[in-house]
Amino acid sequence: MSKVRLLAPWVGEEDRSAIYHCVSRIVGREFLLGRDEKEQFVKYMRLYEHFCGVRVLSYCIMSNHFHILVEVPPVCDQQLSDDALLERLELLYSKEYIGIVRGHLQSLSAIESDEARLAHQKIREKFTRRMWDLGLFMKTLKQRFSSWYNKQHGRRGTLWEARYKSTLVENGYAARTMSAYIDLNPLRAGMVKDPKDYRWCSYAEAVAGGQLARNGIMRVLSKLDSDTAFDGWAGAKDISHYDWRSVAGRYRLIIFEDGASFGESAANAQRTKKQRRGISEKDLIREQERGGKLSIAEVARCKSRYFVDGAVLGSREWVNKVIEGIKGDYLREDRKMNSSKPTGKLKKSGLWSLRRLVEDG
């Protein structure tokens, strides 16, 4: 028998958002999520974040489970214009279908009658009822990814172990602590020595320049309450006075201080079947001395790595075929370009990443 989800008691009663920590595991806890699968999951997560009008504050996609700290605003369908609604529908539907929906909405809006207004509202509700809802966001995300995964791997059946678990999290200190816990997962599992080096977590995405990840972390760090309704993913008006430079070091220190492991005794570590790794005292002190601020070289490496890894998205076989199909002259021009000082944004990014993928492959 499935458990009843604990939702914020003010949902439907007050104009306030709520924050939840959601976790879901692969059936049998098998390690089925590799690089390509994690990339695709993040892609779907961002897509449905936009469509459903929720905000992902932090996340981490591991090899057999994922964590998402998500803020769900109150239902605000009246604040969503027809144009904004259609823009979200473009994420999921064909241009032909969007054109049909647009035509119906426009024709009904031009008619001044109660029947036309009711028909107009019913069309909108067909889509908006899937928004601003934690359960529907998680259900749609997991189902869409499962369908993709099974198709890619010739698999059938359930991919996820039971239903997802969710915990209602208080805005403020609790949310900041949970966010750091989520970003520390790959370090605790021994996959990296620094969360910034694990591509599929919010902190690494933020360091690499991802604005959505940065907005989520800034929202977590803000002392503002979340009573003001916002229009889904883009609602950054409550963090408008923040910028990433002002909070990056602060959040990094929170991660390092929460991840410090040197207080655990050696005897206790030996008793545990699987040692959970953490931040050493030496690394913590180093970060404290520099205020958590990364050097320009460190940030540059993170940005390069993040871009390079995601330049071509698909199975390894497909990616290799794409790279093999690139003409030799194209790659030679890329090497020539990178031997001198880049002169533009395009020259500093796209082609170079493809060459690196060949080397990494």
Side-chain angles (χ1 to χ4, degrees):
M1 181 177 179
S2 61
K3 297 181 180 179
V4 177
R5 294 280 173 238
L6 174 62
L7 296 178
W10 59 83
V11 171
E13 302 295 331
E14 300 178 34
D15 192 29
R16 298 170 58 191
S17 61
I19 299 174
Y20 301 90
H21 172 219
C22 300
V23 183
S24 191
R25 300 183 183 278
I26 296 293
V27 65
R29 305 199 176 189
E30 294 186 69
F31 295 86
L32 301 182
L33 306 183
R35 295 171 61 90
D36 299 333
E37 290 77 19
K38 293 172 185 177
E39 288 287 346
Q40 191 67 31
F41 188 92
V42 172
K43 175 182 176 181
Y44 284 144
M45 180 190 72
R46 290 303 188 190
L47 185 152
Y48 287 108
E49 174 190 19
H50 189 171
F51 177 78
C52 294
V54 301
R55 179 190 290 163
V56 172
L57 302 180
S58 63
Y59 70 89
C60 184
I61 316 303
M62 301 292 283
S63 300
N64 67 349
H65 69 284
F66 68 81
H67 297 262
I68 300 178
L69 187 65
V70 57
E71 183 175 20
V72 182
V75 176
C76 48
D77 57 319
Q78 298 302 317
Q79 300 179 29
L80 190 68
S81 67
D82 286 353
D83 288 340
L85 173 62
L86 291 167
E87 187 267 335
R88 292 193 189 185
L89 296 184
E90 289 175 353
L91 298 171
L92 308 181
Y93 299 98
S94 66
K95 292 182 179 180
E96 292 75 16
Y97 183 73
I98 298 299
I100 293 173
V101 175
R102 178 181 287 107
H104 287 325
L105 290 174
Q106 290 177 346
S107 61
L108 290 171
S109 297
I111 303 174
E112 295 184 3
S113 70
D114 293 338
E115 292 79 6
R117 281 190 287 271
L118 180 60
H120 182 275
Q121 185 60 27
K122 284 185 176 180
I123 292 177
R124 286 176 53 88
E125 289 177 352
K126 177 182 178 181
F127 305 107
T128 59
R129 66 189 178 191
R130 298 162 59 188
M131 301 175 183
W132 310 292
D133 185 287
L134 174 67
L136 291 176
F137 166 67
M138 291 295 295
K139 178 181 178 180
T140 308
L141 171 59
K142 291 175 63 178
Q143 286 183 344
R144 180 70 181 274
F145 180 78
S146 296
S147 177
W148 175 87
Y149 184 91
N150 286 349
K151 184 177 181 180
Q152 290 291 115
H153 296 275
R155 182 183 181 279
R156 300 179 65 182
T158 302
L159 178 64
W160 303 104
E161 181 181 86
R163 296 177 67 190
Y164 69 91
K165 297 180 180 179
S166 64
T167 303
L168 179 63
V169 180
E170 182 181 9
N171 183 34
Y173 178 75
R176 293 196 294 272
T177 301
M178 183 61 74
S179 181
Y181 164 80
I182 290 173
D183 279 321
L184 279 165
N185 262 254
L187 181 143
R188 293 293 196 189
M191 303 174 78
V192 294
K193 295 182 178 180
D194 190 319
K196 71 176 174 57
D197 298 322
Y198 187 75
R199 176 178 170 80
W200 305 281
C201 74
S202 48
Y203 178 60
E205 181 183 340
V207 173
Q211 193 57 53
L212 289 179
R214 290 182 173 186
N215 286 345
I217 292 174
M218 287 190 288
R219 172 68 188 88
V220 166
L221 291 180
S222 71
K223 295 183 179 180
L224 303 175
D225 62 32
S226 56
D227 291 347
T228 303
F230 59 89
D231 181 17
W233 75 322
K237 57 187 177 183
D238 56 350
I239 58 171
S240 59
H241 65 289
Y242 284 82
D243 65 85
W244 178 245
R245 289 184 179 181
S246 68
V247 303
R250 178 182 165 198
Y251 186 67
R252 183 169 175 82
L253 283 179
I254 290 174
I255 290 177
F256 270 67
E257 289 167 359
D258 286 3
S261 63
F262 54 87
E264 183 180 32
S265 66
N268 184 55
Q270 291 179 355
R271 286 195 297 269
T272 60
K273 294 182 179 180
K274 184 177 181 180
Q275 183 179 358
R276 291 178 63 82
R277 298 161 178 83
I279 304 295
S280 68
E281 181 176 13
K282 178 181 178 181
D283 288 341
L284 174 59
I285 293 175
R286 178 174 64 89
E287 289 302 324
Q288 290 175 332
E289 289 177 345
R290 66 174 184 172
K293 296 181 179 180
L294 295 172
S295 68
I296 296 177
E298 287 175 310
V299 173
R301 284 196 297 271
C302 289
K303 289 186 176 182
S304 297
R305 183 192 310 115
Y306 197 90
F307 181 82
V308 166
D309 288 345
V312 180
L313 177 62
S315 67
R316 183 161 296 280
E317 180 182 1
W318 184 84
V319 170
N320 286 337
K321 287 182 179 179
V322 171
I323 295 174
E324 289 170 3
I326 299 175
K327 295 181 179 180
D329 290 342
Y330 199 73
L331 292 177
R332 281 195 292 273
E333 177 63 22
D334 174 39
R335 295 189 183 96
K336 180 179 179 181
M337 177 189 68
N338 282 279
S339 65
S340 59
K341 184 177 180 180
T343 58
K345 292 184 178 179
L346 181 60
K347 291 186 177 181
K348 292 192 320 186
S349 55
L351 303 181
W352 178 75
S353 68
L354 293 175
R355 178 167 62 86
R356 286 298 303 274
L357 278 172
V358 172
E359 295 175 354
D360 294 343

